[in-house]
Amino acid sequence: MADTSRRALRLLSLLMARQQWPLGELASRLGVSERTARRDIETLRGLDYPITTVRGPDGGYRLGSGHTLPPLLFDDDQALAVSVALQTAPSTVFGLAEDAARALDTLTQVMPARVRASMEAFHLTRLQNYWEFPTPPVDPDALTAVGGAVRHRHVLTVQTLRADGSRALPGDEDFVPARRVEPHHLVVWAARWYLVAYDLAEEAWRIHRVDRLVPRPTTQPFTDRALPGGDVARFVMTSHDRGDVPTAWPCMGTARLDLPAHVVARWAPGGSVIEHLDADHCRLTLGAWSWAGVAGILSTFDTGITDVTPVELVVACHRLAERWSAVTGPTA
């Protein structure tokens, strides 16, 4: 009976995870015959779960609408996944770390003993790495407003904050009026939340840092547009103008690279800024904990580098060149 009950819970979990399942695949996931899987389905139906049979060659079973599911229905693997996810959640939203800890504590307390043991056995200590390039967390209200506008396909009115998070007012030299955009995608990359939107005034696609937006939702609907290239991930990663500003480091430098801005944008570390110069050149501004670190990052682009500043970075480049020369020996 215990095995049957656990299997029924596993079956219910599978039906919750996907819209439709072929009988053979359900049986395989449960490790039983198709006949036994059918009996388990009937067991759930007897408990008033509306499991629908879909006829035809592509048929199977699906969980109908209007059902009331028991809370916190996790198997061992799902419990472990939730535990890891909550303990490693990045702090990209204000209050997320504290909320994640409270959620994990709540889940652990109400889990069955066997599943709770799996969660409690996996406690982590998350340490920040220098290469994470942290950014200011996003205001949950702003994220909710932007995410809702994306989901409902409603025009969004946005004003951009300064790099320090302050808001320019009318009369300030850097004041820019709020703009109306069509929000199409939310993207998280390099611990930053980006909004991919179509600017109605400029009639062009733009990428905005969500942590620097003051969004104001509207109820005006819009129709989907075709994103250039059709690949939102590539569009974000290869766009040099993402509203980014240099992350503060002990050592900051710039250099002119003999590469297009979209190539450097794809591979430059978070917290750096790329300026488009022409079709084949760009300027990269970045930082590191040492001048040798900045020079080392520049060298990874394997291209011509000029107009290097400041002088400390130039000196570091010379020192690295001397060290590599000592490793490789004299050239023929």
Side-chain angles (χ1 to χ4, degrees):
M1 179 62 70
D3 288 342
T4 301
S5 299
R6 280 196 292 266
R7 201 169 59 243
L9 287 174
R10 171 63 173 160
L11 173 59
L12 185 56
S13 176
L14 291 171
L15 290 169
M16 291 170 58
R18 206 166 83 185
Q19 184 177 10
Q20 184 171 313
W21 288 88
L23 177 62
E25 192 170 350
L26 280 176
S28 176
R29 291 294 189 98
L30 296 172
V32 297
S33 66
E34 292 188 4
R35 182 178 180 181
T36 300
R38 285 195 188 94
R39 284 204 304 265
D40 291 340
I41 290 171
E42 292 305 318
T43 298
L44 291 178
R45 284 172 170 164
L47 295 172
D48 294 329
Y49 288 100
I51 300 174
T52 304
T53 302
V54 182
R55 306 295 181 184
D58 297 324
Y61 295 91
R62 67 173 58 172
L63 195 60
S65 59
H67 53 281
T68 301
L69 295 176
L72 307 173
L73 181 63
F74 294 124
D75 58 28
D76 288 16
D77 292 339
Q78 290 173 316
L80 179 60
V82 170
S83 177
V84 172
L86 289 174
Q87 292 183 72
T88 59
S91 298
T92 60
V93 180
F94 281 115
L96 180 63
E98 180 182 347
D99 290 341
R102 290 193 300 107
L104 180 61
D105 183 59
T106 300
L107 287 171
T108 303
Q109 291 184 43
V110 299
M111 284 288 181
R114 178 177 53 82
V115 179
R116 183 169 63 250
S118 297
M119 297 180 67
E120 291 178 338
F122 208 93
H123 280 291
L124 302 174
T125 300
R126 184 175 184 271
L127 303 177
Q128 181 179 324
N129 187 286
Y130 282 115
W131 289 99
E132 289 183 25
F133 307 108
T135 186
V138 178
D139 186 323
D141 292 336
L143 188 60
T144 299
V146 172
V150 171
R151 178 163 54 90
H152 296 298
R153 289 298 191 254
H154 285 169
V155 170
L156 194 65
T157 301
V158 297
Q159 185 173 8
T160 304
L161 298 173
R162 295 186 177 110
D164 63 1
S166 62
R167 188 172 184 174
L169 300 175
D172 294 340
E173 292 184 1
D174 59 346
F175 174 75
V176 177
R179 312 182 70 83
R180 294 171 65 252
V181 301
E182 296 175 350
H184 282 260
H185 302 278
L186 261 180
V187 176
V188 180
W189 185 49
R192 287 159 171 76
W193 290 83
Y194 293 102
L195 170 65
V196 179
Y198 186 83
D199 190 298
L200 292 171
E202 296 183 2
E203 297 185 345
W205 288 92
R206 292 287 181 261
I207 299 174
H208 304 270
R209 282 267 297 272
V210 178
D211 62 293
R212 294 181 60 199
L213 287 184
V214 180
R216 191 166 68 250
T218 75
T219 57
Q220 179 184 344
F222 66 87
T223 304
D224 282 346
R225 298 177 186 267
L227 185 71
D231 186 339
V232 65
R234 180 175 178 81
F235 182 76
V236 172
M237 290 188 294
T238 59
S239 295
H240 69 278
D241 185 10
R242 295 187 289 254
D244 289 330
V245 293
T247 298
W249 285 95
C251 302
M252 299 286 298
T254 70
R256 182 178 186 269
L257 275 60
D258 296 343
L259 284 172
H262 70 86
V263 173
V264 176
R266 172 65 181 88
W267 303 108
S272 57
V273 173
I274 301 93
E275 177 188 356
H276 172 83
L277 299 178
D278 57 43
D280 300 311
H281 303 87
C282 68
R283 174 166 291 279
L284 175 61
T285 300
L286 74 162
W289 51 87
S290 68
W291 291 113
V294 180
I297 296 174
L298 289 174
S299 69
T300 63
F301 287 94
D302 193 22
T303 188
I305 301 174
T306 56
D307 298 342
V308 178
T309 57
V311 66
E312 290 87 351
L313 180 55
V314 176
V315 172
C317 290
H318 281 294
R319 287 177 178 170
L320 281 184
E322 291 172 356
R323 289 168 184 164
W324 287 122
S325 179
V327 171
T328 60
T331 58

